[in-house]
């Protein structure tokens, strides 16, 4: 226990009389601060005990970080400002208004746990009421969310009507709450500053002068790795000091008053709209990394003792006594009240029920809006002439067209334009998507504008302005991470990943954040947005890094809708559903199909939608079923037509269009009719998307099969530049033809 003998009752009276404040904090506020800091520490202690008794399953503490995180809470406004904390921020959350009981509900994994209903580990904060946004375990992902969240505040200032509720699409269910001067808080550890996402976030926050308070809680270690190994020169403040527009402070984060002063200045800088703030707080980590770690294995006693001398709890006690704010008796009384309260909370929480196992799939997707439902099944506008008979429009002879067939690229562009007109919440960003970042060139008509490397977003910046359509840095994680932050706030980012081949820097966001937000927060938060991705090969020269597929990696991720149209009209209808629905959607656009003659169509109108999970029978047949999607559709169609011509074999060709969800009913009905099936796809054969479809057919439709389930796909290698090699690698019409012929004859 700390030495409390410094208490002098005379000093209490003196200070009381003086009405002295400390960086603006009154004595009463300091007592409250101590109550919360002590509560935070004791909660960690209680949880550690519960873990040892095997009543909870994980523990990670906020010990040593209490002063600065509580100071942050005191400098900000819960339910008004926004918070992206990390696992050491127990005191922040207590300071914002979370209760110890709620935290213990998290520890036992109770159904009533407000952060996740028992789905996440303890100390993974989330509280809708307080604007504490659901956190994952990934170090660093939250920093980009905070940037997106702050961008939303900026955007809503410029578009105050965008947040209005509109029935009939996701806006009906997605609340928008903004004040204009709200500040976004994000915290991270010293080790986490090594993540690329940290630097991406710093770059954008700085460049856009966003109101984000970055708090680096530097306890000198990332598990066992000391700060000088993480950070060049051992000090992150030195490294970031060149970022413009920031308010920087490097402080002793174990001192509550110093911390409060710094946090207040940081928040004021942001609230005034000047730019972001960066508080680098030196703290301690007295309890090892987590209960699974024993720091004695890599930290000698001497170092640990040095830390202990700076413990914020004992420092605060001594400060209160020294300043005559509380005497020893007062501290004892306060601590007893806290301990008694915690005991009662522990007793109560051990009886808290857990969620029913039947609920495990709840909130994977929006419970409010089902994109597979008839609400998303609309007709082609009357003025348009494209039939929806499953055949590409340019092959429909005899149908009179009032408007010329357009490419898939044209119709995606037209759909984006109409949706942006209709919905002010939509923002479009990505690499090169703007017409011209230097707007004056456009204004002075010096340039025409680019609008995407494939021109899919051409003209959108000119039509809707640079705050709605803009270029991002080449930082794919930040494209998706910022989109998550914007979408959490209720906006609808429709972002572009320029090439599927370069999606990988965003993988953490695409696997562990975007599709998980709703599930892990038990429905409290969601991030519906659209990630458009140019995908695929058959480019004759595309080579390894401009030809990849890999859709199965994302269909393998629960919570993500994955769409892959093969023709212009489907692209328009499915993109509109993607934008209007309430789920995250990966919208895969095949580069080779963008401007093909195949699949051109007239624009189907500004309300044309196709529900997800509905396949299209491109060619009816009774002898064999071919299931495919994307650029294999036109190739398979050629093979199907040739077999019909040559041998009268009638093949049913199914274009899945939607990969998650997919249309099992159409598959099952077709296989039951034809008794033979090929699954064809452009990706490499092994572990590709079709492997799952083939496995399910073998499993559930075995009784209907007269032949083995066949797959036609790319060879299990990379895609080569030389067209002869590319042809040998990707599935060709001839490969499809031979496989169909063989299976039909089986
Ligand atoms: C992306 C990622 N990599 C690794 C981990 C495993 N991990 C969890 S915490 C941690 C150390 C973080 O250190 P720091 O940022 O300094 O925070 P501290 O725990 O010290 O407060 C690591 C490596 C993780 N959760 N996420
Ligand atoms: Mg650390």
């Amino acid at each position: 226990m700390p030495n409390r003998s410094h208490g002098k009752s005379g000093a209490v009276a003196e200070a009381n009389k003086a009405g002295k404040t400390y960086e603006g904090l009154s004595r009463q506020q300091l007592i409250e601060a101590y109550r919360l800091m002590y509560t935070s520490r004791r909660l960690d202690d209680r949880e550690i005990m519960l873990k040892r008794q095997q009543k909870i399953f994980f523990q990670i503490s906020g010990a040593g970080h209490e002063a600065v995180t509580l100071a942050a809470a005191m400098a900000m406004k819960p339910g008004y400002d926004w918070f992206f904390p990390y696992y050491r921020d127990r005191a922040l959350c207590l300071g914002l208004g979370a209760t110890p009981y709620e935290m213990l509900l998290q520890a036992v994994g109770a159904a009533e746990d407000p952060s996740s209903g028992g789905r996440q580990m303890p100390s993974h904060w989330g509280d809708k009421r307080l604007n504490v946004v659901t956190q994952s375990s990934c170090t660093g992902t939250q920093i980009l969310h905070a940037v997106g969240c702050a961008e939303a505040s900026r955007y809503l200032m410029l578009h105050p009507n965008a947040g209005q509720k509109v029935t009939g699409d996701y806006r009906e269910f997605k609340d928008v709450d903004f004040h204009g001067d709200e500040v976004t808080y994000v915290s991270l550890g010293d080790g986490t500053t090594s993540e690329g996402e940290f630097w991406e976030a710093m770059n954008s926050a700085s460049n856009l002068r966003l109101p984000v308070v970055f708090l680096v809680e530097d306890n000198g270690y990332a598990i066992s790795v000391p700060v000088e190994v993480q950070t060049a020169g051992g000090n992150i403040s030195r490294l970031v000091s060149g970022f413009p527009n920031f308010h920087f402070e490097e402080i002793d984060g174990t001192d509550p008053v110093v911390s409060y002063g710094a946090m207040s200045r940081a928040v004021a800088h942001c609230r005034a709209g000047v730019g972001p703030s960066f508080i680098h707080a030196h703290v301690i980590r007295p309890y090892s990394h987590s209960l699974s770690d024993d720091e004695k294995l890599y930290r000698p006693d001497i170092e640990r003792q040095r830390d202990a001398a700076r413990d914020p709890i004992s420092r605060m006690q001594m400060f209160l006594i020294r300043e005559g704010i509380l005497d020893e008796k007062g501290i004892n009384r306060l601590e007893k009240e806290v301990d008694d309260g915690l005991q009662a909370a522990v007793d109560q929480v051990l009886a808290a029920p857990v969620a029913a196992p039947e609920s495990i799939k709840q909130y994977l997707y929006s419970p409010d809006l089902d994109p597979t439902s008839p609400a998303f099944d609309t007709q082609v506008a009357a003025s348009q002439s494209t039939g929806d008979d499953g055949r590409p429009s340019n092959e429909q002879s005899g149908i009179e067209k009032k408007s010329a067939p357009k490419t898939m690229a044209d119709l995606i562009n037209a759909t984006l334009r109409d949706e942006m007109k209709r919905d002010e919440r939509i923002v479009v960003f990505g690499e090169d998507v703007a017409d011209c970042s230097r707007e004056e060139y456009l204004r002075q008509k010096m340039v025409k504008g680019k609008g995407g490397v494939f021109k899919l977003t051409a003209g959108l910046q000119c039509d809707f302005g640079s705050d709605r359509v803009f270029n991002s840095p080449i930082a794919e994680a930040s494209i998706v991470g910022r989109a998550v932050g914007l979408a959490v706030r209720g906006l609808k980012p429709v972002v572009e990943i320029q090439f599927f081949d370069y999606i990988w820097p965003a993988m953490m966001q695409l696997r562990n954040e975007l599709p998980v937000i709703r599930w892990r927060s038990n429905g409290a938060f969601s991030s519906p947005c659209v990630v458009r991705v140019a995908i695929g090969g058959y480019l004759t020269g595309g080579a390894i890094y401009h030809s990849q597929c890999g859709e199965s990696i994302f269909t393998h991720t629960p919570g993500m809708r994955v769409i892959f149209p093969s023709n212009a009209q489907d692209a328009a209808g499915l993109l509109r559903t993607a934008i209007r629905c309430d789920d995250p959607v990966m919208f895969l656009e095949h580069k080779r199909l963008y401007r093909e003659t195949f699949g051109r169509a007239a624009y189907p109108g500004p309300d044309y939608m196709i529900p997800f999970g509905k396949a299209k029978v491109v060619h009816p047949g009774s002898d064999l079923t071919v299931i495919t999607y994307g650029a294999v559709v036109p190739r398979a169609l050629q093979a199907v037509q040739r077999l019909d011509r040559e041998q009268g074999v009638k093949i049913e060709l199914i274009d899945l269009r939607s990969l998650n969800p997919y249309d099992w009913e159409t598959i099952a009905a077709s296989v039951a009719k034809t008794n033979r099936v090929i699954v064809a796809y452009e990706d490499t054969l092994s572990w590709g998307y079709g492997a799952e479809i083939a496995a399910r057919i073998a499993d559930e439709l075995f009784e209907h099969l007269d032949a083995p389930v066949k797959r036609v796909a790319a060879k299990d290698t990379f895609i080569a530049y030389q067209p002869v090699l590319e042809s040998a690698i990707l599935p060709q019409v001839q490969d499809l033809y031979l496989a169909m012929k063989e299976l039909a004859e089986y």
Side-chain angles (χ1 to χ4, degrees):
M1 286 303 282
N3 179 355
R4 293 173 184 167
S5 60
H6 302 296
K8 290 194 183 79
S9 50
V12 175
E14 212 176 292
N16 277 340
K17 258 189 251 144
K20 186 173 169 188
T21 63
Y22 303 80
E23 294 281 2
L25 288 176
S26 69
R27 287 190 306 280
Q28 196 50 43
Q29 282 176 306
L30 286 165
I31 294 170
E32 267 324 289
Y34 181 63
R35 184 189 302 279
L36 290 168
M37 287 170 61
Y38 180 75
T39 303
S40 181
R41 180 66 63 90
R42 294 300 283 168
L43 253 172
D44 278 325
D45 294 338
R46 293 307 303 227
E47 282 192 3
I48 288 165
M49 217 149 79
L50 289 166
K51 171 74 173 71
R52 295 208 162 111
Q53 294 165 348
Q54 297 180 6
K55 289 179 175 157
I56 68 170
F57 319 98
F58 180 76
Q59 210 282 332
I60 192 157
S61 88
H65 294 229
E66 295 96 341
V68 72
T69 54
L70 182 71
M74 294 176 82
M76 298 185 77
K77 302 188 219 176
Y80 184 104
D81 295 322
W82 288 79
F83 301 89
F84 293 80
Y86 85 118
Y87 47 82
R88 302 270 183 233
D89 284 16
R90 188 189 291 286
L92 171 103
C93 294
L94 288 168
L96 294 176
T99 67
Y101 179 65
E102 286 169 338
M103 293 185 173
L104 287 163
L105 284 171
Q106 214 187 4
V108 297
E112 292 302 312
D113 151 32
S115 66
S116 82
R119 291 172 170 190
Q120 287 231 78
M121 287 172 153
S123 297
H124 287 53
W125 315 111
D127 191 316
K128 195 174 171 62
R129 177 176 58 97
L130 304 172
N131 288 353
V132 177
V133 179
T134 172
Q135 291 303 294
S136 72
S137 300
C138 316
T139 53
T141 46
Q142 77 276 18
I143 320 172
L144 290 168
H145 303 168
V147 168
C149 174
E151 286 181 276
S153 300
R154 171 80 49 85
Y155 184 84
L156 289 163
M157 283 270 278
L158 295 167
H159 300 268
N161 296 325
Q164 274 167 11
K165 285 234 158 158
V166 177
T167 52
D169 61 44
Y170 75 96
R171 287 173 292 179
E172 190 173 341
F173 311 103
K174 196 72 185 142
D175 296 330
V176 171
D177 173 30
F178 89 104
H179 308 277
D181 68 344
E182 62 268 35
V183 173
T184 299
Y185 162 98
V186 65
S187 60
L188 57 145
D190 46 290
T192 298
T193 64
S194 301
E195 294 282 5
E197 287 171 304
F198 165 73
W199 295 95
E200 291 183 19
M202 291 291 287
N203 191 36
S204 290
S206 166
N207 215 15
L208 302 173
R209 292 175 167 264
L210 293 172
V212 182
V213 174
F214 293 77
L215 171 61
V216 174
E217 299 170 33
D218 182 351
N219 55 21
Y221 276 92
I223 310 186
S224 68
V225 182
V227 65
E228 72 275 14
V229 174
Q230 293 287 346
T231 305
N235 184 307
I236 192 63
S237 281
R238 270 209 299 277
L239 297 191
V240 299
S241 62
F243 279 110
N245 306 319
F246 265 94
H247 170 82
F248 289 109
E249 290 197 39
E250 182 176 358
I251 61 164
D252 178 354
T254 63
D255 182 324
V257 175
V258 164
S259 296
Y260 180 75
M263 290 311 302
S264 301
R265 289 185 291 276
V267 172
H269 179 80
C270 289
R271 216 177 292 288
V274 186
S277 300
F278 188 93
I279 302 296
H280 176 195
H282 293 278
V283 296
I284 61 162
R285 194 196 68 180
Y287 284 4
S288 293
H289 172 72
S290 73
L291 222 54
S292 320
D293 173 46
D294 176 7
E295 68 175 2
K296 291 195 189 111
L297 296 173
Y298 52 89
R299 296 185 80 186
D301 282 347
I302 176 141
E303 189 178 305
R304 291 162 14 85
Q305 280 156 10
R306 228 177 11 240
D307 264 14
R310 294 173 56 224
D311 191 303
I313 302 294
S314 34
R315 275 192 81 156
M316 183 66 168
Q317 289 172 352
M318 285 189 279
F319 167 80
L320 292 173
I321 291 168
R322 193 173 60 242
E323 289 296 315
I325 295 167
L326 273 183
D327 58 16
E328 194 169 348
K329 247 169 59 194
I331 284 179
N332 286 339
R333 195 177 323 114
L334 180 152
E335 291 181 353
K336 180 156 188 335
E337 279 164 18
V338 169
D339 289 337
D340 289 349
L342 289 185
Q343 185 59 52
V346 169
D347 293 342
Q348 194 188 347
V349 85
L350 292 176
V354 299
E358 302 78 63
S359 69
I360 49 177
K361 289 194 174 176
Q362 202 182 11
Y363 301 123
L364 277 177
Y365 302 101
S366 172
D368 302 311
L369 200 53
D370 177 4
T372 70
S373 72
F376 289 89
D377 197 353
T378 61
Q379 297 304 304
V380 172
S383 65
Q384 312 300 326
S385 60
T386 314
D388 191 17
D389 66 353
R391 285 185 303 154
S393 61
N394 62 316
E395 294 180 4
Q396 292 161 12
S397 54
I399 299 176
E400 206 181 275
K401 291 189 172 57
K402 286 177 196 151
S403 57
K406 296 280 201 307
T407 64
M408 185 193 277
D410 292 333
L411 293 202
I412 288 173
N413 181 272
T415 305
L416 288 170
R417 181 172 279 102
D418 271 350
E419 288 305 295
M420 290 192 76
K421 224 179 280 173
R422 177 181 175 274
D423 179 357
E424 210 182 341
R425 294 195 195 182
I426 297 174
V427 288
V428 169
F429 60 98
E431 293 154 20
D432 299 286
V433 302
D435 291 316
C436 183
S437 287
R438 294 177 176 164
E439 280 183 290
E440 66 275 16
Y441 296 163
L442 287 171
R443 267 200 308 273
Q444 293 163 24
K445 304 216 178 333
M446 294 161 72
V447 297
K448 190 162 163 270
K450 187 165 177 70
V453 293
F454 298 104
K455 304 256 183 304
L456 272 281
T457 48
L460 297 181
Q461 180 198 357
C462 290
D463 285 2
F464 298 102
S466 303
D467 57 330
R468 294 192 67 192
V469 182
F470 51 89
N471 287 326
S472 71
I474 307 175
E476 287 76 9
S478 106
I479 294 172
V480 180
R482 285 163 67 185
V484 169
L486 284 155
V488 160
R489 294 290 304 275
L491 298 181
K492 176 67 83 163
V494 180
V495 299
E496 181 176 303
I497 298 289
Q498 198 164 69
F499 292 90
F500 187 89
D501 313 67
Y502 309 125
I503 204 165
W504 312 118
M507 195 63 202
M508 181 76 96
Q509 294 286 345
L510 287 166
R511 168 75 200 184
N512 282 348
E513 300 296 339
L514 178 61
V516 198
I517 298 264
R518 194 191 293 271
W519 189 85
R520 75 174 186 226
S521 67
N522 207 18
F525 294 95
S526 64
S527 53
C529 61
V530 181
V531 182
R532 294 181 38 250
V533 193
I535 192 170
Y538 298 111
L539 304 179
T540 53
I544 312 159
Y545 303 110
H546 295 83
S547 307
Q548 288 174 27
C549 281
E551 56 277 9
S552 63
I553 291 164
F554 297 102
T555 55
H556 191 60
T557 298
M560 181 92 92
R561 309 289 191 182
V562 181
I563 305 301
F564 201 154
S566 72
N567 61 79
Q569 183 174 317
D570 284 356
L574 289 164
L575 179 58
R576 186 163 284 109
T577 300
I579 291 171
R580 294 191 191 179
C581 84
D582 197 26
D583 294 321
V585 182
M586 177 169 287
F587 195 81
L588 301 171
E589 301 169 3
H590 202 291
K591 300 185 283 282
R592 182 60 204 261
L593 297 176
Y594 272 151
R595 291 184 168 79
E596 289 255 299
T597 322
F598 171 86
R600 292 190 185 187
Y603 184 55
D607 283 309
Y608 179 61
M609 286 185 285
I610 299 171
F612 290 170
K614 299 283 181 293
K616 179 146 120 184
V617 177
V618 178
H619 187 282
S622 51
D623 299 330
L624 166 69
T625 298
V626 174
I627 299 161
T628 190
Y629 53 90
V632 181
V633 172
R635 285 161 180 78
L637 184 60
Q638 280 186 46
V640 164
Q641 286 166 339
R642 186 174 154 201
L643 267 166
D644 191 1
R645 236 176 12 246
E646 289 178 359
Q647 308 196 355
V649 179
K650 303 293 177 202
I651 297 175
E652 185 141 290
L653 178 60
I654 295 173
D655 176 1
L656 287 177
R657 313 192 283 192
S658 168
L659 305 186
N660 182 31
Y662 65 91
D663 188 347
W664 178 247
E665 285 68 34
T666 295
I667 294 171
S670 184
V671 173
K673 179 171 65 176
T674 65
N675 316 117
R676 288 171 161 74
V677 61
I678 289 173
V679 189
Y681 50 101
E682 184 185 330
D683 200 3
T684 40
L685 180 79
S686 303
W687 299 282
Y689 179 79
E692 171 62 23
I693 304 292
R696 187 163 174 199
I697 291 168
D699 180 355
E700 296 184 32
L701 303 176
F702 181 74
E703 303 297 328
H704 294 291
L705 292 171
D706 289 342
V709 183
K710 286 285 174 199
R711 285 175 292 157
V712 178
K715 309 292 184 302
D716 287 335
T717 179
F718 305 102
I719 296 166
Y721 165 71
Q722 188 8 275
V724 169
L725 302 180
E726 189 205 75
S727 289
I729 291 160
L730 293 179
Q732 306 298 327
V733 176
Q734 184 68 6
D735 301 320
L736 293 155
Y737 170 82
L738 291 175
M740 291 178 199
K741 187 163 175 292
E742 191 184 320
L743 201 65
E745 290 166 356
Y746 183 91

